Amino acid sequence: MDRCFPFLLLLLMGTHGLCQQEEVCSKSVINSCRDCIRSGPYCVWCKQLNFTKAGEQEAARCDTRAQLIKRGCKLDEIISPKNNLTIVKEDPLSLSFSQQEPVQLRPQKINLRLRPGLSTTFSVSFKRVQGYPVDLYYLMDLSYSMKDDLENVKELGQDLFAALKSITEHGQIGFGAFVDKTVLPYTNTNEKKLQKPCDENYQQCQAAFGYRHVLSMTKSEVEFKSKVTEQSISGNLDSPEGSLDAMMQAAVCGDKIGWRNSSTRLIVLTTDAGFHMAGDGKLAGILEPNDEHCHMKNNLYTKSTEMDYPSVGQLAMQLAKNNIQPIFAVTQNVEIVYKQLQQMIPNSEVGVLSKNSDNVVKLIQDAYHKLSSKVTLTHVNLPANVSVVYTPKCAHAGPAMASEGVCDKVGAGQEISFEVTVTVASCMENTESFTIRPQGIKDTLTVTLSTNCECECEDPKNSNHPHCKGKGRVSCGICSCSEGFVGQFCECSIGDKDEHSLRASCQRNNGTECEGQGDCVCGRCQCHTTESGSSYHGDFCECDDEHCEKSHNKLCGGNGKCNCGKCECFQGYEGSACQCRKSSAGCQTPNNTVCYGRGTCKCDQCECDEGYQRPKCHECLGCPDPCQTKLNCIECLGFDSGPFKKNCGACSKSIYHEMVDQFPITSKQCHQKDTEGCWITFKLEQLVGKDNYKAEILKRRDCPEPPSVTAIIGGSIASVAVIGILLLMLIKLFIYMKDLKEYRKFENEKKKSKWAETLHPSVNTLMLYTPIQRMVIW
């Protein structure tokens, strides 16, 4: 028994709700009952007169029900809007298909008036009617690769109708065919090939086409067989086909297909190839998107060459909108492709055809039973701020989900139900609605939704109520004052001033009135009490004595008093939280100063001025080098020169100096050049304080010797002489080079004359005669 006691205790705690979520009212700015109700689903309002004390904020009327009752509010004085559910239409579920419009979903219309954040749950029942009509549209790929399958389908009429009759007595079958768009690169556009796109040896071949509706819904087996027998194979170029084009037209052209209003609608697509989808039309220069409308003329899709293929999303939306469930009867080579397509189209099934499609009837039967035994409840047109959760109540129920509820293995005539939980996130201005429906079924439940965000307080009609000093009326327990009066009980006459200016005088820096911690009464703040019982204070109720810094988990460390958010320490204590005893022992320096005069001692530790380092503020790592900053003063004090020469007294206030022959103190040595170009050597020692130094200046400066005038003049003359000699040498060199050039030219001419002498012995002799004489001699 002792070992069972802890378990029983935990069980009792869970039973009494200790493990349940606590109701909380998160209040913001509350000025009325309406503001309170909109603050959260568990916020309620107490309209009881005199519930609040004089000067207490009316927002105290807003809290959880438990808190208000605890504070003395009567139960019948609490305003808390409830959720309201009204069933407008609830026709009973039909037992069998004995009427034109059977009822499979109950109820059919509901009105909800909800409080934001507060959920409401209602039940929805479903029962599939036995013998419910079935419309089956057989959509076949007539490309050349399906020629064997077509021959087999021509003989399937009897078997198809027999299978349909095993499901329902009210079955109909239609037939359609497709290939692909009759443009390149999908189909050969040669005129002869358009008329006969099949192999030349194959005689039974019809012209190329995109989608053709062959037979509307019929109960006649003979008519079905006749129309299908007339069909022949066609052809195209590429492997994917225009399947989505055909399915889109079969879905949206309801009047031509012959879909009945009350029926289970099935499209059986048989093919051995993949499919083109949105965007593929660009290969043929077709850029216009599919418009999801019917374009049928003479049973042919007329926009095949003008409009792109539909997207999978477009097709899925139109199939759901028209309550059509597709069955993909495909060959094994494309099974994976259509399995992926099935994931994107709700309430669809995939079956694998045999080589000649002789198993298509069994495949349709199996797919239909899978589709009909799985009931999926979902919604459309859900408003943005509304959430819905479905909880199935059946033998083979799926998990509770926000998008849909699923019950599997549901037989015909078996009634199941779903718990539907609806929550509105915020108040709505207008009434909105959404629809709940089982996928693939026509029956719907329309939910009309509005929100309940107002207070119905049933106020007294007296406009001069005694509670309001005869100067106003009561509205949900608080006074609504007549013109010219303000205050909690309309006790303040504003006289010549308007209410706005009176309230403005209660606002600090145009902020919140009385900092939200008091009431503005006749232009002055009346402060509220805090949770602990003390009062806010200050001209604008900006102060309280409960929010100071803590130390050792005590307000002001227990060593001071909290005043307007700051600790006022008792004698002998200091610190932002009065956490330290006053003492300067830890701040004492070897020269008996506190932090070298470059900081303050707090909590027995130095708080140094900017740049100076702890623990004693002795050195400043980030300060400018005093050797440079004090150079002008050193030059002035030591040698009576420099920019401070006429005001040297200012330097003596911060620097105590003496001239020395050598340096007895050990400190930093400075070596700087002064304004006269001399090098000054000095040492600085920082004393107590920031700008307080002791300087020792070496008496002797290192000044550079003045330049020699004789050397400068002599050097200048020597430079001029050297430059003159160099110029003469350059001129001489130029003349020499020119003469050398002429000499070489002369030597060349001389060599030419010798060559001429070797040619004729008398040339030299002839040169002595005149030109005319030379001609006579020659």
Side-chain angles (χ1 to χ4, degrees):
M1 181 65 185
D2 292 340
R3 285 182 294 179
C4 295
F5 179 74
F7 173 77
L8 292 173
L9 181 61
L10 289 172
L11 184 62
L12 287 171
M13 290 173 65
T15 305
H16 286 83
L18 294 179
C19 298
Q20 298 176 0
Q21 183 180 1
E22 183 183 359
E23 292 185 358
V24 177
C25 175
S26 301
K27 295 182 287 186
S28 52
V29 179
I30 306 297
N31 294 316
S32 64
C33 177
R34 186 172 184 267
D35 293 340
C36 176
I37 298 307
R38 289 171 175 249
S39 295
Y42 301 113
C43 291
V44 297
W45 179 265
C46 180
K47 67 172 185 176
Q48 184 174 309
L49 297 181
N50 298 316
F51 178 73
T52 54
K53 301 174 184 177
E56 187 179 5
Q57 198 172 16
E58 294 293 356
R61 294 178 177 271
C62 183
D63 214 323
T64 62
R65 183 185 299 270
Q67 289 296 323
L68 290 181
I69 292 175
K70 183 179 179 181
R71 291 174 50 201
C73 185
K74 297 178 181 178
L75 191 61
D76 57 352
E77 296 286 346
I78 292 178
I79 302 299
S80 178
K82 306 293 184 184
N83 289 340
N84 185 20
L85 185 151
T86 305
I87 298 177
V88 179
K89 185 178 181 181
E90 190 176 19
D91 295 338
L93 299 174
S94 301
L95 298 176
S96 61
F97 187 72
S98 58
Q99 48 186 313
Q100 190 65 27
E101 294 290 339
V103 177
Q104 300 180 101
L105 189 71
R106 179 177 61 90
Q108 293 81 41
K109 286 184 180 180
I110 286 179
N111 288 348
L112 293 179
R113 183 171 171 81
L114 302 182
R115 182 172 175 183
L118 202 60
S119 303
T120 191
T121 301
F122 56 88
S123 180
V124 177
S125 300
F126 174 82
K127 182 170 68 173
R128 188 182 299 275
V129 173
Q130 291 183 342
Y132 193 70
V134 175
D135 288 340
L136 188 151
Y137 191 68
Y138 198 98
L139 191 56
M140 187 170 184
D141 176 6
L142 288 188
S143 59
Y144 187 74
S145 58
M146 293 286 287
K147 61 182 183 298
D148 294 337
D149 303 78
L150 176 61
E151 296 304 320
N152 191 53
V153 170
K154 290 179 180 180
E155 305 299 327
L156 287 179
Q158 183 177 355
D159 294 337
L160 276 172
F161 275 94
L164 207 56
K165 286 180 181 179
S166 68
I167 297 170
T168 176
E169 296 179 359
H170 310 281
Q172 293 187 154
I173 298 180
F175 190 85
F178 67 91
V179 183
D180 209 344
K181 295 183 183 296
T182 55
V183 290
L184 282 172
Y186 317 116
T187 304
N188 192 332
T189 54
N190 180 280
E191 188 174 351
K192 291 183 179 179
K193 279 293 185 180
L194 282 175
Q195 295 302 316
K196 189 179 179 182
C198 309
D199 192 306
E200 292 182 0
N201 298 326
Y202 196 81
Q203 298 301 319
Q204 294 183 343
C205 181
Q206 62 174 312
F209 65 96
Y211 161 67
R212 173 180 286 117
H213 171 57
V214 177
L215 175 66
S216 299
M217 292 295 172
T218 179
K219 295 182 179 180
S220 172
E221 181 182 334
V222 175
E223 186 179 7
F224 177 82
K225 185 174 182 179
S226 172
K227 287 290 185 182
V228 175
T229 304
E230 294 173 3
Q231 300 306 305
S232 56
I233 289 296
S234 184
N236 64 326
L237 291 176
D238 63 341
S239 177
E241 315 295 3
S243 315
L244 302 194
D245 259 348
M247 291 183 71
M248 176 63 78
Q249 292 302 301
V252 298
C253 298
D255 55 337
K256 291 180 172 55
I257 304 299
W259 300 114
R260 287 175 289 184
N261 288 332
S262 300
S263 65
T264 298
R265 301 175 178 182
L266 303 175
I267 289 181
V268 179
L269 180 80
T270 58
T271 181
D272 63 349
F275 52 86
H276 284 295
M277 54 185 167
D280 289 356
K282 293 180 180 179
L283 294 172
I286 302 174
L287 303 178
E288 184 179 352
N290 195 285
D291 63 3
E292 303 177 37
H293 290 119
C294 181
H295 299 285
M296 296 281 290
K297 187 175 181 181
N298 297 327
N299 290 333
L300 275 175
Y301 176 33
T302 58
K303 295 285 186 178
S304 176
T305 59
E306 301 174 23
M307 202 170 289
D308 197 5
Y309 302 96
S311 68
V312 174
Q314 286 178 307
L315 179 61
M317 185 175 67
Q318 287 300 331
L319 290 173
K321 182 179 178 181
N322 292 282
N323 300 317
I324 297 173
Q325 304 172 78
I327 299 173
F328 301 109
V330 298
T331 52
Q332 193 166 11
N333 62 307
V334 291
E335 180 187 6
I336 296 176
V337 175
Y338 283 89
K339 284 285 188 184
Q340 294 173 343
L341 181 62
Q342 179 192 12
Q343 301 300 318
M344 294 181 277
I345 298 181
N347 272 37
S348 59
E349 284 294 330
V350 177
V352 179
L353 287 170
S354 60
K355 291 184 179 179
N356 58 357
S357 300
D358 58 359
N359 67 331
V360 69
V361 174
K362 185 177 185 306
L363 189 151
I364 293 172
Q365 282 181 309
D366 293 342
Y368 172 77
H369 287 306
K370 284 183 181 179
L371 289 172
S372 61
S373 64
K374 183 178 180 180
V375 180
T376 303
L377 196 68
T378 187
H379 52 258
V380 292
N381 302 323
L382 189 70
N385 62 335
V386 179
S387 61
V388 180
V389 175
Y390 299 93
T391 306
K393 300 294 181 182
C394 52
H396 301 278
M401 292 190 294
S403 58
E404 62 185 20
V406 178
C407 278
D408 206 356
K409 299 179 182 179
V410 180
Q414 179 183 349
E415 184 174 341
I416 59 173
S417 65
F418 298 84
E419 296 291 332
V420 182
T421 302
V422 181
T423 309
V424 181
S426 59
C427 295
M428 300 189 305
E429 297 298 328
N430 302 313
T431 300
E432 298 192 41
S433 62
F434 64 96
T435 303
I436 295 175
R437 65 190 309 170
Q439 288 182 354
I441 305 295
K442 180 188 175 184
D443 297 69
T444 60
L445 164 60
T446 301
V447 180
T448 303
L449 194 61
S450 61
T451 51
N452 192 1
C453 298
E454 305 299 330
C455 296
E456 298 176 0
C457 296
E458 299 179 0
D459 298 319
K461 297 180 180 180
N462 187 0
S463 59
N464 298 310
H465 200 278
H467 180 71
C468 304
K469 310 296 184 185
K471 302 297 189 296
R473 60 183 181 84
V474 173
S475 175
C476 290
I478 61 176
C479 287
S480 178
C481 301
S482 303
E483 188 176 355
F485 296 91
V486 294
Q488 186 176 4
F489 304 105
C490 306
E491 70 278 12
C492 178
S493 175
I494 61 177
D496 296 335
K497 297 182 178 180
D498 60 358
E499 184 178 356
H500 178 74
S501 61
L502 280 176
R503 292 189 177 278
S505 63
C506 295
Q507 299 173 2
R508 182 175 62 168
N509 300 326
N510 294 323
T512 307
E513 188 176 291
C514 299
E515 299 295 319
Q517 298 167 163
D519 294 315
C520 187
V521 180
C522 297
R524 298 191 65 180
C525 287
Q526 291 185 356
C527 301
H528 299 156
T529 57
T530 63
E531 294 181 359
S532 64
S534 61
S535 296
Y536 294 102
H537 57 92
D539 292 339
F540 303 97
C541 304
E542 72 276 14
C543 295
D544 69 78
D545 302 335
E546 298 177 354
H547 292 86
C548 287
E549 189 176 343
K550 291 184 177 181
S551 177
H552 297 92
N553 205 27
K554 292 181 180 180
L555 202 64
C556 297
N559 302 316
K561 179 183 178 183
C562 181
N563 183 19
C564 201
K566 292 185 178 180
C567 287
E568 295 177 352
C569 300
F570 298 147
Q571 188 173 4
Y573 291 91
E574 62 179 348
S576 59
C578 303
Q579 70 273 27
C580 309
R581 285 186 175 273
K582 281 188 177 180
S583 174
S584 60
C587 303
Q588 293 293 325
T589 63
N591 58 0
N592 202 29
T593 64
V594 176
C595 305
Y596 285 103
R598 297 188 279 273
T600 57
C601 189
K602 291 184 179 180
C603 290
D604 209 23
Q605 288 184 342
C606 286
E607 289 190 2
C608 302
D609 296 337
E610 184 177 2
Y612 290 93
Q613 305 297 307
R614 286 185 174 183
K616 304 292 184 179
C617 311
H618 185 255
E619 295 181 351
C620 182
L621 299 180
C623 297
D625 185 6
C627 290
Q628 296 181 2
T629 59
K630 300 300 180 183
L631 174 62
N632 291 334
C633 279
I634 293 296
E635 183 181 357
C636 168
L637 293 170
F639 304 99
D640 196 25
S641 63
F644 291 167
K645 179 178 179 180
K646 294 182 180 180
N647 191 22
C648 214
C651 293
S652 60
K653 293 180 181 179
S654 60
I655 300 177
Y656 162 72
H657 78 286
E658 58 179 304
M659 307 299 292
V660 296
D661 295 320
Q662 59 183 2
F663 295 115
I665 62 173
T666 57
S667 59
K668 180 179 178 182
Q669 180 175 321
C670 303
H671 192 65
Q672 300 289 328
K673 183 182 283 188
D674 64 10
T675 55
E676 296 179 356
C678 298
W679 290 94
I680 302 175
T681 304
F682 59 97
K683 287 191 174 183
L684 287 172
E685 180 184 7
Q686 190 172 14
L687 304 177
V688 176
K690 279 187 167 183
D691 195 16
N692 191 16
Y693 292 88
K694 177 183 178 182
E696 292 187 348
I697 307 170
L698 206 62
K699 292 179 180 179
R700 184 175 54 83
R701 288 190 295 178
D702 294 333
C703 296
E705 294 183 2
S708 174
V709 177
T710 305
I712 293 173
I713 295 173
S716 299
I717 295 171
S719 299
V720 170
V722 170
I723 292 171
I725 293 170
L726 289 173
L727 286 173
L728 290 173
M729 292 178 69
L730 286 172
I731 293 170
K732 184 67 178 175
L733 179 64
F734 177 74
I735 294 171
Y736 172 76
M737 295 300 293
K738 186 176 181 182
D739 291 344
L740 183 63
K741 184 178 180 182
E742 290 294 329
Y743 176 75
R744 288 177 177 174
K745 184 177 180 183
F746 170 76
E747 288 292 326
N748 290 335
E749 290 293 333
K750 187 178 180 181
K751 289 178 180 180
K752 289 179 181 179
S753 63
K754 289 180 179 180
W755 175 77
E757 184 178 359
T758 59
L759 291 175
H760 201 284
S762 61
V763 171
N764 292 330
T765 305
L766 289 173
M767 294 299 293
L768 300 175
Y769 294 96
T770 64
I772 297 174
Q773 290 174 334
R774 288 197 296 268
M775 291 176 62
V776 172
I777 293 172
W778 280 102

